């Protein structure tokens, strides 16, 4: 989706949400508007592993929806966040092995094979 948006000339912003929010919180007030403007001016915002309402947002999480209350430490906040995220959304859930874990296992197997 992101690749096609870029190909079609859309402004795409990819952010690790925790990193962005930490940097934003630590920014001087004069820098905060500049950081936030980059998000508001894009056509597609990809927030990795968190939640935010925007025109077009892709949210990824390795945690299942039912565990968000425990993860966030607040069931009310979790319910409110999920309600906003899931209103008019397309939810895609994938079940299967992680590609990163698969690649790591293959790399480890190759190293072990070379060591023999």
């Amino acid at each position: 989706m992101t690749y096609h948006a870029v190909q079609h000339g859309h402004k795409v912003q990819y952010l690790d949400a925790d990193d962005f929010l930490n940097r934003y919180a630590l920014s001087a007030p004069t820098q905060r508007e500049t950081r936030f403007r980059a998000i508001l001016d894009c056509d597609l915002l990809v927030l990795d592993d968190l939640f935010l309402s925007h025109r077009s947002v892709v949210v990824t999480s390795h945690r299942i929806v039912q565990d968000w209350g425990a993860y966030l430490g607040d069931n009310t906040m979790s319910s409110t966040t999920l309600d906003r995220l899931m209103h008019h959304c397309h939810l895609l859930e994938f079940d299967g092995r992680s590609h990163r874990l698969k690649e790591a296992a293959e790399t480890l197997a190759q190293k072990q094979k070379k060591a023999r």
Side-chain angles (χ1 to χ4, degrees):
M1 175 187 331
T2 305
Y3 177 75
H4 292 291
V6 171
Q7 275 190 319
H8 287 91
H10 297 285
K11 293 182 197 173
V12 177
Q13 198 50 259
Y14 175 91
L15 299 173
D16 175 276
D18 288 340
D19 180 59
F20 172 77
L21 292 174
N22 286 331
R23 288 175 190 261
Y24 181 82
L26 296 173
S27 296
T30 55
Q31 294 175 322
R32 288 184 180 171
E33 184 176 343
T34 302
R35 288 186 185 277
F36 205 65
R37 178 61 45 204
I39 292 173
L40 296 177
D41 289 343
C42 69
D43 299 312
L44 173 63
L45 174 64
V46 180
L47 277 179
D48 192 11
D49 212 16
L50 204 63
F51 36 80
L52 182 67
S53 239
H54 197 270
R55 287 176 237 143
S56 298
V57 178
V58 177
V59 178
T60 67
S61 177
H62 295 286
R63 305 190 190 293
I64 60 172
V65 170
Q66 292 83 354
D67 290 348
W68 279 35
Y71 174 67
L72 295 174
D74 184 334
N75 285 327
T76 302
M77 183 176 73
S78 170
S79 295
T80 301
T81 300
L82 288 168
D83 178 64
R84 291 177 189 271
L85 276 176
M86 298 175 97
H87 183 69
H88 298 299
C89 81
H90 297 279
L91 178 64
L92 304 174
E93 292 183 278
F94 300 95
D95 188 21
R97 291 187 56 195
S98 163
H99 289 287
R100 287 178 282 229
L101 290 177
K102 180 182 172 188
E103 289 173 6
E106 289 171 357
T107 301
L108 180 61
Q110 289 174 356
K111 285 181 181 179
Q112 289 175 344
K113 187 176 178 181
K114 287 179 184 180
R116 290 181 193 163

